[in-house]
Amino acid sequence: MSPTAPIPDSTVPNSDSRYDRQLAKILEHATAIFYEKGYEGASIRDLSRASGMSLAGLYYYFESKEKLLYVIQRHLFLSVMDLVRERLREETDPEQRVRVFILTHLEYFLANPKSMKVLSHEDDVLKEELGADIANLKRQYYRCAADLVDALKAAKGLQFNSRVAVLSLFGMMNWIYTWYNPHVDGDAKLLAREIGDVFLGGIYATLAPPPA
Amino acid sequence: MSPTAPIPDSTVPNSDSRYDRQLAKILEHATAIFYEKGYEGASIRDLSRASGMSLAGLYYYFESKEKLLYVIQRHLFLSVMDLVRERLREETDPEQRVRVFILTHLEYFLANPKSMKVLSHEDDVLKEELGADIANLKRQYYRCAADLVDALKAAKGLQFNSRVAVLSLFGMMNWIYTWYNPHVDGDAKLLAREIGDVFLGGIYATLAPPPA
Amino acid sequence: MSPTAPIPDSTVPNSDSRYDRQLAKILEHATAIFYEKGYEGASIRDLSRASGMSLAGLYYYFESKEKLLYVIQRHLFLSVMDLVRERLREETDPEQRVRVFILTHLEYFLANPKSMKVLSHEDDVLKEELGADIANLKRQYYRCAADLVDALKAAKGLQFNSRVAVLSLFGMMNWIYTWYNPHVDGDAKLLAREIGDVFLGGIYATLAPPPA
Amino acid sequence: MSPTAPIPDSTVPNSDSRYDRQLAKILEHATAIFYEKGYEGASIRDLSRASGMSLAGLYYYFESKEKLLYVIQRHLFLSVMDLVRERLREETDPEQRVRVFILTHLEYFLANPKSMKVLSHEDDVLKEELGADIANLKRQYYRCAADLVDALKAAKGLQFNSRVAVLSLFGMMNWIYTWYNPHVDGDAKLLAREIGDVFLGGIYATLAPPPA
DNA sequence: GATGAATGAGGTTTCATTCAT
DNA sequence: TATGAATGAAACCTCATTCAT
């Protein structure tokens, strides 16, 4: 296990032009505010105050509050998926591939802690095409994890309900934003090991009957 | 494992008087609306429409939107805790006790599916005393699970980080509201077994080094 | 100057029956609340809380908030006018008669300090017939004072604008509720003397040219 | 006695920019509405109707109804105090200085008749810091008058209770809004003379015993 | 005599958003 | 690019009042 692709230190796309830099700043503030107050509870005025840009000025960068959330969520999915793909490229062992997924997910979101909540907590607020698009990305991401788990399952001849197992794994990981405390719980590497142990120990146990 | 205490089929307190029945109805509608739109996204007008009672009339039953959420959340915690205590009374085996906890939690919230979200998703919207009170109940509930897990850990001589393990267990269980489909995923009993298997298999695996 | 008619120690009509006693209690609480919050700022709910009677129960005693204020104001005017008439009966000296008026007014309203504000401050909130009726009583009360002043004016051969003088006198007296502090300003007798001195000194000065 | 500083013909600050002009218009309408209905009885909707600006638009100019009243009252106190100071600069005779105060007060508030009520009648509705700030200005204004009266008292060797005398003077002047009718009562100059006569005659009379 | 339950209207304030500049 | 000014809709909540009991 030696992932090498770097964790982006920001929650927003790389930026070159002045426009891009401004947009990046706005998205960062928006993420922070959605994190604090939730999508519905956050107001564009809050964002205006936080970013120092006028209310009207913000609308030059996004066309609606919904689109704003969309852009943020889309970027998060795309970049964590990129990172996962990148890191999986170097690993072939089925178990390690699952561990890489877990570690990458945790590293990414523990490096951008507010993002984890904005993705998890505001999961179903987007409707229509926007919502469908995000749901699609989410499905791809799920599929990616499920494929890794299924590969391991096949390789080891395990027997368990993949759907429930994978969704439980996501539950463990996505719930973290409600309790994670860096001083108490250690870094992503530690957490990934612990959670990976529970998960893998759990599915491996389906080989033999569990100890009485 | 033979829990016998019945699952309340409603999300609200038992009701006798006309007042209680009306209140119960309102809380039920409110739960449904908080489920659909989230606390912030739900409006008292929505509740008025759904319950068929006038806006002003609703305020006869609760003094503020906040208090309304508070009453709902408090009732949920108290009644699931009651149920857990009730059912644990009959069980002494450490592993079974953990399984009873998982099953009870899932049975309760799968019987009241909207409640699970209202409890999980609107976890931190209550502030001040109200928020502190709910946080306190949550802590008790967590403590209850943690004690069961620690008892099992001691009984079997296992070695793992209890905090992370228990919080992961809650992650698996509380995440369910985002994906549960009764037609696909079976009932609470099945789900409780699967999740219990993963969790218990996971922590049992800490006895011996995990298989390579 | 020896007024003898007693100052009613209450702001409400004498009460015999249970109904009357209840009504009296309600009017007293209402006066207190109108005093504290003003007519517009006071709510029937405030009155309900203060009086310990249910919202609906109050309406057995008065038919509307307007009528409630009306009853209070009417009673105040009638009883202070009664008192004035009573005490004037014993006095014939024109100056003393003016002084009796001032003293009675101040004694009455300093004994019922909240009433003074409810009468002065909520002077023009009543509309239509109710308002006209109160305005009529007020006019009578004004007329009474004006007659006393005019009698003195004639008796002493003074020259001044009666209207402005009398209204100024009322200004001095009715403004008291904004500043009166019993510990600092003494009792009604003292205040009546001081204000009487200013007023009478002022109008007497119209005999001779004022000192340079 | 020849005061020369001009009376502002408006109740609101001078305005230059478009924003200032709009704000001035709003404050003027607000003063009129507070005059008509009282602070509590006036609604922002009333103001919206009167000013022709949308409800929400108004909030661009003030942050709350309370702040709105505050701005109005503060401006009134500051500008009448300015005017008084300005005019006192040219006068040294103690009696004339008192007369200048009376005249200025009346000229200012008779030129802005609604303001007088908004200042007098809504005296104690502002709470906390806002209320304390206004109370402070009021105290300064009172102090100013009291100093003039005390100077006269000392100059003439008079003997009377300054507090009661000054507060009575304010009573006479501030009560005017309840009865003033320009067609009947003449202009500020006339009224100031009459009220000044009563007041000064009254306190001068404390030199010698009043005529029997 | 008194209340619990309910209501329509309206209160203040904030929302996301727009448009001329 | 960015803002100041403005808006219609809707937010939460309270109002005076009623009516069956």
Side-chain angles (χ1 to χ4, degrees):
Chain A
M1 184 185 65
S2 58
T4 52
I7 304 294
D9 63 337
S10 154
T11 184
V12 293
N14 288 337
S15 48
D16 302 344
S17 65
R18 171 157 165 60
Y19 174 90
D20 286 340
R21 263 177 289 127
Q22 283 281 56
L23 178 57
K25 207 185 79 181
I26 289 169
L27 294 181
E28 205 133 19
H29 283 296
T31 301
I33 286 174
F34 288 156
Y35 167 79
E36 278 172 49
K37 311 197 159 190
Y39 173 78
E40 294 281 2
S43 80
I44 305 289
R45 259 178 151 83
D46 291 329
L47 178 53
S48 167
R49 270 186 293 260
S51 66
M53 182 174 288
S54 77
L55 219 46
L58 291 170
Y59 278 83
Y60 183 76
Y61 291 94
F62 56 88
E63 43 190 290
S64 73
K65 196 183 168 191
E66 256 197 308
K67 262 290 181 47
L68 176 58
L69 177 60
Y70 169 76
V71 168
I72 291 174
Q73 291 192 331
R74 170 165 242 269
H75 168 70
L76 289 174
F77 267 125
L78 291 179
S79 56
V80 73
M81 277 169 65
D82 263 9
L83 198 62
V84 165
R85 265 191 222 105
E86 172 88 12
R87 291 192 175 178
L88 281 175
R89 213 174 293 149
E90 309 175 10
E91 187 56 65
T92 57
D93 176 68
E95 174 178 329
Q96 287 310 316
R97 286 173 67 84
V98 171
R99 289 210 181 258
V100 163
F101 184 92
I102 296 172
L103 177 61
T104 307
H105 185 97
L106 292 187
E107 275 192 333
Y108 185 85
F109 286 113
L110 260 31
N112 307 294
K114 300 179 177 176
S115 303
M116 183 167 12
K117 180 173 180 186
V118 174
L119 213 49
S120 297
H121 201 261
E122 313 302 344
D123 181 34
D124 56 355
V125 316
L126 258 19
K127 307 292 177 199
E128 320 284 332
E129 296 90 9
L130 263 35
D133 195 38
I134 295 297
N136 203 41
L137 292 175
K138 198 173 89 170
R139 219 171 295 122
Q140 284 178 45
Y141 193 58
Y142 165 81
R143 200 57 264 155
C144 171
D147 287 345
L148 297 177
V149 168
D150 279 338
L152 177 59
K153 183 177 170 185
K156 303 276 182 184
L158 306 176
Q159 287 188 333
F160 58 88
N161 180 336
S162 287
R163 174 176 153 84
V164 170
V166 173
L167 288 166
S168 294
L169 174 59
F170 275 114
M172 291 192 258
M173 294 193 301
N174 290 339
W175 197 245
I176 288 178
Y177 80 85
T178 68
W179 55 266
Y180 179 65
N181 178 342
H183 302 307
V184 172
D185 299 307
D187 65 1
K189 215 165 284 190
L190 178 58
L191 226 46
R193 176 142 40 78
E194 292 172 336
I195 286 181
D197 286 349
V198 169
F199 178 70
L200 292 171
I203 63 175
Y204 284 148
T206 62
L207 245 187
Chain B
M1 182 187 66
S2 59
T4 52
I7 304 293
D9 63 335
S10 156
T11 183
V12 292
N14 288 337
S15 46
D16 302 343
S17 65
R18 172 156 165 61
Y19 175 89
D20 286 340
R21 262 177 290 125
Q22 283 281 58
L23 177 57
K25 207 185 80 181
I26 289 170
L27 294 182
E28 206 132 18
H29 283 296
T31 302
I33 286 174
F34 288 156
Y35 167 79
E36 278 171 50
K37 310 197 160 191
Y39 173 78
E40 295 281 2
S43 80
I44 305 289
R45 262 172 159 81
D46 291 331
L47 178 52
S48 167
R49 267 184 300 259
S51 64
M53 181 174 287
S54 75
L55 244 148
L58 291 170
Y59 278 86
Y60 185 74
Y61 292 92
F62 55 87
E63 43 191 287
S64 71
K65 197 184 167 189
E66 254 197 311
K67 260 293 181 45
L68 176 57
L69 178 60
Y70 169 77
V71 168
I72 292 174
Q73 292 192 331
R74 172 164 241 269
H75 168 70
L76 290 174
F77 266 124
L78 291 179
S79 53
V80 74
M81 277 169 64
D82 263 8
L83 198 62
V84 165
R85 261 188 226 109
E86 172 87 13
R87 292 191 174 179
L88 281 176
R89 212 173 294 149
E90 310 174 8
E91 187 57 67
T92 56
D93 176 67
E95 175 178 326
Q96 287 310 316
R97 287 172 66 84
V98 171
R99 288 210 182 255
V100 163
F101 185 91
I102 296 172
L103 178 61
T104 306
H105 186 96
L106 293 187
E107 276 193 332
Y108 185 86
F109 285 114
L110 260 31
N112 309 292
K114 300 180 177 178
S115 302
M116 185 169 8
K117 182 173 180 186
V118 174
L119 214 47
S120 297
H121 200 261
E122 313 303 344
D123 180 34
D124 57 355
V125 316
L126 258 18
K127 306 292 178 199
E128 320 285 332
E129 296 91 11
L130 261 36
D133 195 40
I134 295 297
N136 202 41
L137 292 176
K138 199 174 87 169
R139 220 172 295 124
Q140 284 179 44
Y141 193 57
Y142 166 81
R143 198 60 263 156
C144 171
D147 287 344
L148 298 177
V149 168
D150 280 337
L152 177 58
K153 184 177 168 184
K156 304 277 181 184
L158 308 174
Q159 288 187 334
F160 57 89
N161 181 336
S162 286
R163 173 176 154 84
V164 171
V166 173
L167 289 166
S168 294
L169 174 59
F170 275 114
M172 291 192 258
M173 295 193 300
N174 291 337
W175 196 245
I176 288 178
Y177 79 84
T178 68
W179 55 265
Y180 179 65
N181 179 340
H183 303 307
V184 173
D185 299 306
D187 65 1
K189 216 165 282 191
L190 178 57
L191 226 45
R193 175 141 41 79
E194 292 172 337
I195 286 182
D197 286 348
V198 169
F199 178 70
L200 292 171
I203 63 175
Y204 285 146
T206 62
L207 245 186
Chain C
M1 183 188 65
S2 59
T4 52
I7 305 294
D9 63 335
S10 155
T11 184
V12 292
N14 288 336
S15 46
D16 303 342
S17 65
R18 172 156 165 59
Y19 174 89
D20 285 341
R21 263 178 289 124
Q22 283 282 55
L23 177 58
K25 208 185 79 182
I26 289 170
L27 294 181
E28 205 134 19
H29 282 297
T31 302
I33 285 173
F34 288 156
Y35 167 79
E36 277 171 49
K37 310 196 160 191
Y39 173 78
E40 294 283 0
S43 79
I44 305 288
R45 257 178 153 82
D46 292 329
L47 178 54
S48 166
R49 272 188 289 265
S51 64
M53 182 174 288
S54 77
L55 220 45
L58 292 170
Y59 277 84
Y60 183 76
Y61 291 92
F62 56 88
E63 44 192 290
S64 74
K65 196 184 169 190
E66 256 197 308
K67 261 292 181 45
L68 176 58
L69 178 60
Y70 168 77
V71 168
I72 292 174
Q73 292 192 332
R74 170 165 242 269
H75 167 71
L76 289 174
F77 267 124
L78 290 179
S79 56
V80 73
M81 276 169 64
D82 263 8
L83 198 61
V84 165
R85 263 190 225 107
E86 172 88 13
R87 291 192 175 177
L88 282 176
R89 213 174 294 150
E90 311 174 8
E91 187 56 66
T92 56
D93 175 68
E95 173 177 329
Q96 287 310 316
R97 286 172 67 83
V98 171
R99 287 210 182 256
V100 163
F101 184 91
I102 296 173
L103 178 62
T104 306
H105 185 96
L106 293 188
E107 275 193 333
Y108 185 85
F109 285 115
L110 259 33
N112 307 293
K114 298 180 179 178
S115 302
M116 185 168 11
K117 181 173 181 186
V118 174
L119 213 48
S120 297
H121 201 261
E122 313 302 343
D123 180 35
D124 56 356
V125 316
L126 258 17
K127 307 292 177 198
E128 320 285 331
E129 296 89 9
L130 263 35
D133 195 39
I134 296 297
N136 202 41
L137 291 176
K138 198 173 89 169
R139 222 172 295 122
Q140 284 178 44
Y141 193 58
Y142 166 81
R143 200 58 263 157
C144 171
D147 287 345
L148 297 177
V149 168
D150 279 337
L152 177 59
K153 184 177 169 186
K156 303 276 181 185
L158 307 174
Q159 287 186 334
F160 58 88
N161 181 335
S162 286
R163 174 177 154 84
V164 170
V166 172
L167 289 166
S168 294
L169 175 59
F170 274 114
M172 290 192 258
M173 295 193 299
N174 290 338
W175 196 245
I176 288 178
Y177 80 84
T178 67
W179 56 265
Y180 179 65
N181 178 343
H183 303 307
V184 172
D185 299 307
D187 64 1
K189 217 166 282 192
L190 178 57
L191 227 45
R193 176 143 38 80
E194 291 172 336
I195 286 181
D197 286 348
V198 169
F199 179 68
L200 293 171
I203 64 175
Y204 285 147
T206 62
L207 244 187
Chain D
M1 183 185 67
S2 58
T4 52
I7 305 294
D9 63 335
S10 154
T11 184
V12 293
N14 288 337
S15 47
D16 301 344
S17 64
R18 171 157 166 60
Y19 175 90
D20 286 340
R21 263 177 289 127
Q22 283 281 59
L23 177 57
K25 207 184 81 181
I26 289 170
L27 294 182
E28 207 132 18
H29 282 296
T31 302
I33 286 174
F34 288 156
Y35 167 79
E36 278 171 49
K37 311 197 160 192
Y39 174 78
E40 295 280 2
S43 81
I44 306 289
R45 265 171 157 82
D46 291 330
L47 178 52
S48 168
R49 273 188 290 264
S51 64
M53 182 174 287
S54 75
L55 219 65
L58 291 171
Y59 278 83
Y60 185 74
Y61 291 92
F62 55 87
E63 42 191 287
S64 70
K65 197 184 167 189
E66 253 197 311
K67 261 289 180 49
L68 176 57
L69 177 60
Y70 169 77
V71 168
I72 291 174
Q73 292 193 332
R74 171 165 242 270
H75 168 69
L76 289 175
F77 266 124
L78 290 179
S79 53
V80 72
M81 277 168 65
D82 263 9
L83 198 62
V84 165
R85 263 191 225 106
E86 173 86 14
R87 292 194 174 176
L88 281 176
R89 211 175 294 148
E90 309 173 10
E91 189 55 67
T92 56
D93 177 67
E95 175 179 326
Q96 287 309 316
R97 286 171 67 85
V98 171
R99 288 210 182 256
V100 163
F101 185 91
I102 296 172
L103 177 61
T104 307
H105 185 95
L106 293 187
E107 275 193 333
Y108 186 85
F109 285 114
L110 260 31
N112 308 294
K114 300 181 178 177
S115 302
M116 184 168 10
K117 181 173 181 187
V118 174
L119 214 49
S120 298
H121 200 261
E122 313 303 343
D123 181 34
D124 56 355
V125 315
L126 258 18
K127 307 291 176 200
E128 320 283 332
E129 297 89 12
L130 262 35
D133 196 39
I134 295 298
N136 203 41
L137 291 175
K138 197 174 89 170
R139 220 172 295 124
Q140 284 178 45
Y141 193 57
Y142 166 80
R143 201 56 266 156
C144 171
D147 287 345
L148 297 177
V149 168
D150 279 336
L152 177 59
K153 184 178 169 184
K156 304 276 182 184
L158 307 175
Q159 287 187 333
F160 59 87
N161 181 336
S162 287
R163 175 176 153 84
V164 170
V166 172
L167 289 166
S168 293
L169 174 59
F170 274 115
M172 291 192 259
M173 295 192 299
N174 290 338
W175 197 246
I176 288 178
Y177 79 84
T178 68
W179 54 265
Y180 180 66
N181 178 341
H183 302 309
V184 172
D185 299 306
D187 66 1
K189 215 165 284 189
L190 178 57
L191 227 45
R193 177 141 40 78
E194 293 172 336
I195 286 182
D197 286 348
V198 170
F199 178 69
L200 293 171
I203 63 175
Y204 285 147
T206 62
L207 246 186

